[in-house]
Amino acid sequence: MQHLIRTSDFSKDEILGLFDDAREFLKFEPNEILKGKIIVTLFFENSTRTRSSFEIAAKRLGAEVVSLDVSTSSASKGETIFDTVANINAMKPDAIIIRHSECGLPESLAGYVDCPIINAGDGKHAHPTQALLDLFTIYEHFDGNTQGKRVAIVGDVRTSRVAGSNRRLLPRFGIEVCFISPECFRYDGDEFKTYINISDVIDELDIIMSLRTQLERHNQVYFESLNEYAKDFCITNEVMGDRDILLLHPGPVNRNVDISDEMLKDPRCKVLKQVTNGVAIRAAVLKKLILG
Protein backbone atom coordinates (compact mmCIF):
# COMPACT_ATOMS: atom_id res chain seq x y z
CA MET A 1 0.00 0.00 0.00
CA GLN A 2 1.31 3.43 -0.95
CA HIS A 3 0.89 6.71 0.94
CA LEU A 4 1.66 10.29 -0.10
CA ILE A 5 3.51 11.93 2.77
CA ARG A 6 6.19 13.77 0.78
CA THR A 7 6.92 14.18 -2.93
CA SER A 8 9.73 11.60 -2.77
CA ASP A 9 7.06 8.92 -2.21
CA PHE A 10 6.52 9.05 -5.98
CA SER A 11 9.23 8.32 -8.53
CA LYS A 12 9.75 10.64 -11.46
CA ASP A 13 7.96 8.17 -13.76
CA GLU A 14 5.04 7.98 -11.33
CA ILE A 15 4.79 11.77 -11.30
CA LEU A 16 4.77 11.91 -15.09
CA GLY A 17 2.01 9.27 -14.97
CA LEU A 18 0.04 11.54 -12.65
CA PHE A 19 0.45 14.33 -15.18
CA ASP A 20 -0.97 12.10 -17.93
CA ASP A 21 -4.04 11.40 -15.79
CA ALA A 22 -4.34 15.06 -14.78
CA ARG A 23 -4.52 16.13 -18.42
CA GLU A 24 -7.47 13.80 -18.90
CA PHE A 25 -9.16 15.02 -15.73
CA LEU A 26 -8.77 18.62 -16.89
CA LYS A 27 -11.41 17.84 -19.49
CA PHE A 28 -13.85 17.58 -16.56
CA GLU A 29 -15.86 14.90 -18.28
CA PRO A 30 -18.15 12.58 -16.26
CA ASN A 31 -16.07 9.91 -14.58
CA GLU A 32 -17.00 7.35 -11.93
CA ILE A 33 -13.82 5.34 -11.54
CA LEU A 34 -14.02 5.80 -7.75
CA LYS A 35 -17.74 5.06 -7.50
CA GLY A 36 -18.44 3.27 -4.23
CA LYS A 37 -15.22 4.49 -2.60
CA ILE A 38 -15.28 6.53 0.63
CA ILE A 39 -12.68 9.21 1.38
CA VAL A 40 -12.35 10.81 4.82
CA THR A 41 -10.89 14.30 5.26
CA LEU A 42 -9.40 15.34 8.61
CA PHE A 43 -8.30 18.98 8.65
CA PHE A 44 -6.89 20.14 11.98
CA GLU A 45 -5.86 23.45 10.37
CA ASN A 46 -8.02 25.87 8.42
CA SER A 47 -8.11 25.32 4.68
CA THR A 48 -10.19 26.55 1.77
CA ARG A 49 -8.35 25.66 -1.42
CA THR A 50 -6.79 22.35 -0.43
CA ARG A 51 -9.82 20.88 1.30
CA SER A 52 -12.34 21.91 -1.34
CA SER A 53 -9.92 20.87 -4.12
CA PHE A 54 -9.64 17.36 -2.69
CA GLU A 55 -13.38 17.10 -2.14
CA ILE A 56 -14.25 18.29 -5.65
CA ALA A 57 -11.62 15.97 -7.13
CA ALA A 58 -13.05 13.00 -5.24
CA LYS A 59 -16.64 13.77 -6.18
CA ARG A 60 -15.75 14.27 -9.84
CA LEU A 61 -14.44 10.69 -9.77
CA GLY A 62 -17.63 9.39 -8.18
CA ALA A 63 -16.34 8.92 -4.63
CA GLU A 64 -18.19 9.81 -1.45
CA VAL A 65 -16.47 12.26 0.89
CA VAL A 66 -16.85 12.32 4.67
CA SER A 67 -15.46 15.58 6.06
CA LEU A 68 -15.04 15.30 9.81
CA ASP A 69 -15.41 18.41 11.96
CA VAL A 70 -12.42 18.02 14.24
CA SER A 71 -13.66 20.79 16.57
CA THR A 72 -16.54 18.52 17.61
CA SER A 73 -14.72 15.21 17.28
CA SER A 74 -13.61 12.98 20.14
CA ALA A 75 -10.23 14.70 19.99
CA SER A 76 -11.88 17.61 21.80
CA LYS A 77 -12.79 15.13 24.57
CA GLY A 78 -9.22 14.00 25.08
CA GLU A 79 -8.92 11.18 22.55
CA THR A 80 -5.49 10.99 20.91
CA ILE A 81 -5.16 11.58 17.18
CA PHE A 82 -3.84 8.03 16.87
CA ASP A 83 -7.00 6.58 18.43
CA THR A 84 -9.16 8.88 16.31
CA VAL A 85 -7.50 7.66 13.12
CA ALA A 86 -7.55 4.01 14.26
CA ASN A 87 -11.31 4.28 14.85
CA ILE A 88 -11.87 5.91 11.46
CA ASN A 89 -9.76 3.17 9.88
CA ALA A 90 -11.99 0.55 11.55
CA MET A 91 -14.88 1.96 9.51
CA LYS A 92 -12.99 0.89 6.36
CA PRO A 93 -12.56 4.09 4.34
CA ASP A 94 -10.60 3.90 1.10
CA ALA A 95 -8.33 6.87 1.87
CA ILE A 96 -7.73 9.40 4.63
CA ILE A 97 -6.62 12.96 3.82
CA ILE A 98 -5.13 14.82 6.78
CA ARG A 99 -3.77 18.28 7.51
CA HIS A 100 -2.14 19.00 10.87
CA SER A 101 0.12 21.61 12.43
CA GLU A 102 2.54 18.98 13.74
CA CYS A 103 5.43 18.12 11.44
CA GLY A 104 5.62 14.40 10.71
CA LEU A 105 2.19 13.50 12.08
CA PRO A 106 0.70 12.08 8.84
CA GLU A 107 3.69 9.75 8.47
CA SER A 108 3.41 8.58 12.08
CA LEU A 109 -0.22 7.56 11.46
CA ALA A 110 0.64 5.17 8.62
CA GLY A 111 0.99 2.24 11.03
CA TYR A 112 -2.56 2.72 12.29
CA VAL A 113 -4.39 2.37 8.98
CA ASP A 114 -5.16 -0.11 6.21
CA CYS A 115 -5.76 2.56 3.57
CA PRO A 116 -3.64 5.27 1.93
CA ILE A 117 -2.91 8.42 3.91
CA ILE A 118 -2.51 11.63 1.94
CA ASN A 119 -0.66 14.50 3.58
CA ALA A 120 -2.56 17.73 2.93
CA GLY A 121 0.07 19.73 4.83
CA ASP A 122 1.96 19.06 8.06
CA GLY A 123 3.32 22.05 9.91
CA LYS A 124 6.37 23.58 8.26
CA HIS A 125 7.37 20.25 6.71
CA ALA A 126 5.58 19.32 3.50
CA HIS A 127 2.61 19.95 1.22
CA PRO A 128 3.16 17.35 -1.50
CA THR A 129 0.04 17.85 -3.62
CA GLN A 130 0.67 21.61 -3.75
CA ALA A 131 4.20 21.01 -5.01
CA LEU A 132 2.91 18.49 -7.56
CA LEU A 133 0.34 20.94 -8.92
CA ASP A 134 2.95 23.70 -8.98
CA LEU A 135 5.28 21.47 -10.98
CA PHE A 136 2.44 20.43 -13.28
CA THR A 137 1.62 24.10 -13.96
CA ILE A 138 5.27 24.80 -14.77
CA TYR A 139 5.63 21.60 -16.82
CA GLU A 140 2.59 22.39 -18.98
CA HIS A 141 3.56 26.03 -19.43
CA PHE A 142 6.97 25.07 -20.80
CA ASP A 143 5.69 22.04 -22.77
CA GLY A 144 7.73 19.71 -20.61
CA ASN A 145 10.99 21.59 -21.20
CA THR A 146 11.85 22.27 -17.57
CA GLN A 147 15.56 21.41 -17.69
CA GLY A 148 17.61 24.50 -16.85
CA LYS A 149 14.68 26.67 -15.85
CA ARG A 150 15.20 28.83 -12.78
CA VAL A 151 12.61 29.62 -10.11
CA ALA A 152 12.81 32.12 -7.27
CA ILE A 153 10.63 31.35 -4.26
CA VAL A 154 9.89 34.71 -2.65
CA GLY A 155 8.86 35.44 0.91
CA ASP A 156 8.56 33.44 4.10
CA VAL A 157 10.55 30.40 3.00
CA ARG A 158 11.56 29.55 6.57
CA THR A 159 8.11 28.40 7.67
CA SER A 160 6.56 27.49 4.31
CA ARG A 161 5.79 23.81 3.73
CA VAL A 162 5.10 24.76 0.11
CA ALA A 163 8.68 26.01 -0.21
CA GLY A 164 9.88 22.88 1.56
CA SER A 165 8.15 20.52 -0.85
CA ASN A 166 9.07 22.54 -3.93
CA ARG A 167 12.76 22.82 -3.07
CA ARG A 168 12.85 19.02 -2.90
CA LEU A 169 10.68 18.31 -5.96
CA LEU A 170 11.56 20.90 -8.61
CA PRO A 171 15.29 20.05 -8.90
CA ARG A 172 14.33 16.47 -9.80
CA PHE A 173 12.95 17.94 -13.03
CA GLY A 174 15.98 20.09 -13.78
CA ILE A 175 14.63 23.30 -12.25
CA GLU A 176 17.12 25.40 -10.31
CA VAL A 177 15.67 26.83 -7.09
CA CYS A 178 16.75 30.00 -5.34
CA PHE A 179 15.16 32.01 -2.54
CA ILE A 180 14.42 35.70 -2.09
CA SER A 181 13.53 36.74 1.44
CA PRO A 182 14.26 39.14 4.25
CA GLU A 183 16.76 37.87 6.81
CA CYS A 184 14.01 36.95 9.29
CA PHE A 185 12.30 34.63 6.79
CA ARG A 186 15.47 33.08 5.38
CA TYR A 187 15.84 29.32 4.83
CA ASP A 188 18.42 27.88 7.23
CA GLY A 189 20.18 25.56 4.77
CA ASP A 190 23.01 26.60 2.49
CA GLU A 191 22.35 24.39 -0.55
CA PHE A 192 20.26 27.06 -2.29
CA LYS A 193 21.28 30.56 -3.26
CA THR A 194 19.44 33.22 -1.29
CA TYR A 195 18.97 36.86 -2.23
CA ILE A 196 17.59 39.82 -0.33
CA ASN A 197 16.70 41.94 -3.36
CA ILE A 198 14.55 40.73 -6.24
CA SER A 199 16.44 43.02 -8.60
CA ASP A 200 19.64 41.04 -7.98
CA VAL A 201 18.33 37.97 -9.81
CA ILE A 202 15.13 38.77 -11.70
CA ASP A 203 16.80 38.93 -15.11
CA GLU A 204 17.91 35.31 -14.66
CA LEU A 205 14.47 33.92 -13.75
CA ASP A 206 11.88 31.93 -15.66
CA ILE A 207 9.45 31.54 -12.75
CA ILE A 208 8.61 33.47 -9.59
CA MET A 209 6.70 31.69 -6.83
CA SER A 210 5.43 34.20 -4.30
CA LEU A 211 4.46 33.04 -0.81
CA ARG A 212 2.17 34.33 1.91
CA THR A 213 3.85 35.83 4.94
CA GLN A 214 2.83 33.28 7.57
CA LEU A 215 2.98 35.50 10.63
CA GLU A 216 1.00 32.95 12.64
CA ARG A 217 4.00 30.59 12.46
CA HIS A 218 6.40 33.09 14.04
CA ASN A 219 6.66 33.86 17.73
CA GLN A 220 7.73 37.46 17.25
CA VAL A 221 6.83 40.47 15.13
CA TYR A 222 9.37 41.34 12.43
CA PHE A 223 7.49 44.11 10.62
CA GLU A 224 5.38 46.95 11.95
CA SER A 225 2.93 46.17 9.16
CA LEU A 226 2.71 43.97 6.09
CA ASN A 227 3.01 47.12 4.00
CA GLU A 228 6.59 47.43 5.26
CA TYR A 229 7.32 43.92 3.97
CA ALA A 230 5.50 44.63 0.70
CA LYS A 231 7.77 47.56 -0.20
CA ASP A 232 10.58 45.14 -1.00
CA PHE A 233 8.89 41.82 -1.73
CA CYS A 234 5.51 42.42 -3.37
CA ILE A 235 5.50 41.29 -6.99
CA THR A 236 4.30 44.31 -8.95
CA ASN A 237 4.20 45.35 -12.58
CA GLU A 238 7.24 47.54 -11.90
CA VAL A 239 9.15 44.52 -10.60
CA MET A 240 8.16 42.27 -13.50
CA GLY A 241 8.45 44.84 -16.27
CA ASP A 242 8.02 43.19 -19.67
CA ARG A 243 9.97 40.07 -18.71
CA ASP A 244 8.56 36.71 -19.79
CA ILE A 245 8.30 35.24 -16.29
CA LEU A 246 5.68 32.79 -15.03
CA LEU A 247 4.14 34.02 -11.76
CA LEU A 248 2.76 31.52 -9.23
CA HIS A 249 1.37 31.58 -5.70
CA PRO A 250 -0.07 28.73 -3.60
CA GLY A 251 -2.77 30.94 -2.06
CA PRO A 252 -4.30 32.57 -0.24
CA VAL A 253 -2.80 35.71 -1.76
CA ASN A 254 -2.44 38.79 0.41
CA ARG A 255 -3.25 41.36 -2.26
CA ASN A 256 -0.72 44.15 -2.60
CA VAL A 257 1.52 42.39 -0.09
CA ASP A 258 2.49 39.21 -1.95
CA ILE A 259 1.27 40.20 -5.42
CA SER A 260 -0.25 43.49 -6.57
CA ASP A 261 -3.82 43.77 -7.86
CA GLU A 262 -2.44 44.67 -11.28
CA MET A 263 -0.21 41.59 -11.51
CA LEU A 264 -3.00 39.26 -10.39
CA LYS A 265 -4.81 40.28 -13.60
CA ASP A 266 -1.70 39.93 -15.74
CA PRO A 267 -1.69 36.94 -18.15
CA ARG A 268 1.71 35.91 -16.79
CA CYS A 269 0.06 35.22 -13.42
CA LYS A 270 -1.28 31.64 -13.23
CA VAL A 271 -2.68 31.60 -9.69
CA LEU A 272 -6.17 30.54 -10.79
CA LYS A 273 -4.70 28.07 -13.27
CA GLN A 274 -2.92 26.49 -10.32
CA VAL A 275 -6.28 26.07 -8.58
CA THR A 276 -7.77 24.36 -11.63
CA ASN A 277 -4.71 22.16 -12.00
CA GLY A 278 -4.94 21.32 -8.31
CA VAL A 279 -8.27 19.56 -8.76
CA ALA A 280 -6.88 17.50 -11.64
CA ILE A 281 -3.65 16.59 -9.83
CA ARG A 282 -5.50 15.59 -6.67
CA ALA A 283 -7.89 13.49 -8.71
CA ALA A 284 -4.87 11.76 -10.26
CA VAL A 285 -3.38 11.16 -6.80
CA LEU A 286 -6.64 9.68 -5.50
CA LYS A 287 -6.92 7.41 -8.52
CA LYS A 288 -3.34 6.17 -8.13
CA LEU A 289 -3.45 5.53 -4.40
CA ILE A 290 -6.94 4.04 -4.19
CA LEU A 291 -6.93 1.94 -7.35
CA GLY A 292 -3.24 1.07 -7.10
Side-chain angles (χ1 to χ4, degrees), residues 25 33 37 48 93 133-134 137 210 217 232 263 274 280 287:
F25 294 144
I33 59 172
K37 304 297 184 181
T48 300
L133 75 88
D134 292 340
T137 304
S210 176
R217 295 190 184 277
D232 294 319
M263 278 309 305
Q274 287 173 272
K287 174 190 172 185

Side-chain angles (χ1 to χ4, degrees), residues 154-203:
V154 180
D156 188 3
V157 297
R158 174 174 292 177
T159 65
S160 172
R161 54 193 170 210
V162 174
S165 285
N166 272 298
R167 67 178 166 81
R168 290 184 283 267
L169 176 63
L170 299 185
R172 294 170 61 190
F173 287 78
I175 301 170
E176 181 183 346
V177 174
C178 67
F179 296 133
I180 302 172
S181 70
E183 194 72 37
C184 57
F185 292 161
R186 180 167 289 196
Y187 171 63
D188 291 332
D190 57 5
E191 68 267 41
F192 298 98
K193 291 181 180 178
T194 299
Y195 302 87
I196 294 178
N197 299 310
I198 298 175
S199 59
D200 289 343
V201 71
I202 191 165
D203 287 325

Side-chain angles (χ1 to χ4, degrees), residues 9-72:
D9 290 330
F10 290 159
S11 69
K12 187 172 179 179
D13 285 343
E14 286 178 307
I15 291 170
L16 292 175
L18 289 177
F19 290 0
D20 288 338
D21 281 338
R23 290 185 195 99
E24 289 300 310
F25 294 144
L26 279 173
K27 298 175 183 176
F28 294 108
E29 296 173 347
N31 194 320
E32 294 196 337
I33 59 172
L34 295 185
K35 184 177 177 63
K37 304 297 184 181
I38 295 176
I39 297 167
V40 174
T41 63
L42 269 174
F43 279 69
F44 289 85
E45 285 188 320
N46 293 333
S47 172
T48 300
R49 270 151 299 279
T50 302
R51 182 171 179 169
S52 58
S53 181
F54 268 116
E55 292 180 0
I56 290 171
K59 291 180 179 181
R60 284 195 173 276
L61 299 185
E64 296 292 331
V65 179
V66 178
S67 299
L68 298 185
D69 184 351
V70 296
S71 66
T72 59

Side-chain angles (χ1 to χ4, degrees), residues 233-282:
F233 299 98
C234 183
I235 309 304
T236 64
N237 189 56
E238 289 73 26
V239 169
M240 293 281 279
D242 60 358
R243 298 174 181 88
D244 184 16
I245 298 176
L246 180 66
L247 178 58
L248 307 176
H249 193 296
V253 177
N254 286 326
R255 283 176 172 266
N256 301 308
V257 175
D258 309 332
I259 301 175
S260 69
D261 286 337
E262 187 177 21
M263 278 309 305
L264 283 169
K265 298 176 183 178
D266 191 285
R268 292 170 291 181
C269 180
K270 303 299 181 184
V271 172
L272 293 181
K273 183 63 176 176
Q274 287 173 272
V275 176
T276 301
N277 287 343
V279 175
I281 283 291
R282 290 178 175 119

